[in-house]
Amino acid sequence: MTIESYLAELGARLPRIRRRRVLVEAREHLVDSAARHSAAGRSAQEAERAALEDFGDVDTVARRVRAEVAVHETRIASTLALAASALFVVPLYGVPENTLPPAPWMAKPVDIDVLQTIAASLWLTSLGFAAVVTASAWSRWPRLAAAALPSVSLGLVAAAVTSAALVVRWFGVAQVTFAWPLLAAPLALGCVGASAIAAAWAGRRRELLRD
Amino acid sequence: MEEPKGHVDLLLLAVLEDGEAHGYGLVESLRERSGGTFDLPEGTVYPALYRLERHGFAASRWRSVGGRRRRVYRLTSRGRSTLSQQRADWRAFATAVDAVVA
């Protein structure tokens, strides 16, 4: 194997985030190392082979770089999930507050009140959990964060389902407006989708992480 | 404060104390200072350096050396104080082991 073929194989196994930097550093390292072996009296081919041997096999180096990059990826994924949880306030509160006509009732129906409380509680729990998970990812427990991220998604899904039930119930007793669900549904789905993608991304890196 | 993982990180911090260096330079220093004892797979030094950077113990930048683009690493003040603490811990540990084994 030559330095170039080693680098090609290594590059194919590295995550895109650090690939370029690792390859530049590895190339410079291998060139220096081969030069040292040449200076010690080895042929160019032998020097290159010895440099590659000293550097370590592709699998070991790639695995360790991937493990280090996985920490970054988990941090990004956790931050994305936190942002998605925070933005969920727009479809949950911002949109209905600005699109629904004034309430037609003197006293709010109990079931609507209950649904609103449940949806808000689920969202706040999910947001709080996302904040804890993100703090874990940015401190010493990225593996724990990767494991806990699906719970953030599940919390948002539960809040979204409860909100959908609330919409149905609301339109049973109040004037139907289409602006609310048409605006809120894509935003809510976007937030849920983003948190699910973040959870899946971090989940796939979990095995590479060490606490 | 975050602690460096394992002896490789501690060794790298100790070598970086001598001044700015690129990856190959660090490996060479490590080999020389240990009399060839620390002959680890050289490619694994880079993930360890990235980890030190992530914890704020080391910082790096690109530098052009003799027409070649090199990534050079240096110890940060946080890395220096961590090294100092880790060194004290290591000496206490080594003294204790020596007292039992010798």
Side-chain angles (χ1 to χ4, degrees), chain B residues 30-84:
Chain B
L30 206 55
R31 191 184 292 125
E32 278 169 24
R33 283 171 61 168
S34 71
T37 302
F38 297 133
D39 206 10
L40 66 165
E42 295 171 7
T44 60
V45 161
Y46 293 93
L49 286 168
Y50 303 154
R51 185 166 57 244
L52 292 178
E53 269 197 288
R54 173 162 58 81
H55 291 312
F57 300 147
S60 70
R61 65 188 172 97
W62 289 109
R63 209 178 70 177
S64 188
V65 183
R68 290 167 67 184
R69 198 158 166 258
R70 313 299 297 257
R71 188 88 183 176
V72 290
Y73 297 83
R74 66 174 172 80
L75 200 61
T76 61
S77 54
R78 192 176 181 202
R80 205 172 293 280
S81 62
T82 301
L83 172 63
S84 171

Side-chain angles (χ1 to χ4, degrees), chain A residues 24-211:
Chain A
V24 170
E25 291 194 283
R27 184 189 303 278
E28 293 302 326
H29 186 117
L30 289 166
V31 167
D32 280 346
S33 182
R36 184 174 70 93
H37 286 293
S38 279
R42 298 194 183 192
S43 70
Q45 207 172 12
E46 281 173 349
E48 219 169 274
R49 197 177 308 128
L52 291 173
E53 226 167 80
D54 291 345
F55 200 75
D57 65 278
V58 172
D59 275 340
T60 306
V61 176
R63 183 165 36 81
R64 297 212 184 169
V65 173
R66 282 207 314 270
E68 187 50 33
V69 172
V71 177
H72 288 276
E73 292 176 306
T74 305
R75 287 176 170 183
I76 295 169
S78 303
T79 308
L80 175 66
L82 177 61
S85 301
L87 283 174
F88 196 78
V89 72
V90 177
L92 184 73
Y93 179 77
V95 174
E97 191 62 22
N98 291 291
T99 57
L100 286 176
W105 47 72
M106 292 297 286
K108 190 189 286 182
V110 176
D111 58 340
I112 286 182
D113 200 28
V114 167
L115 282 171
Q116 278 182 323
T117 305
I118 292 173
S121 303
L122 285 167
W123 168 64
L124 283 173
T125 306
S126 183
L127 180 63
F129 201 61
V132 172
V133 165
T134 305
S136 303
W138 283 89
S139 55
R140 298 178 65 174
W141 302 284
R143 187 177 164 85
L144 188 68
L149 264 180
S151 308
V152 175
S153 281
L154 286 176
L156 283 188
V157 168
V161 169
T162 312
S163 301
L166 178 63
V167 171
V168 172
R169 178 69 187 103
W170 194 290
F171 286 162
V173 293
Q175 185 189 339
V176 173
T177 62
F178 290 104
W180 180 22
L182 281 180
L183 278 172
L187 287 170
L189 285 174
C191 292
V192 170
S195 70
I197 289 168
W201 184 19
R204 290 181 65 172
R205 301 291 180 271
R206 198 177 151 197
E207 288 309 310
L208 292 166
L209 297 166
R210 292 179 297 159
D211 281 334

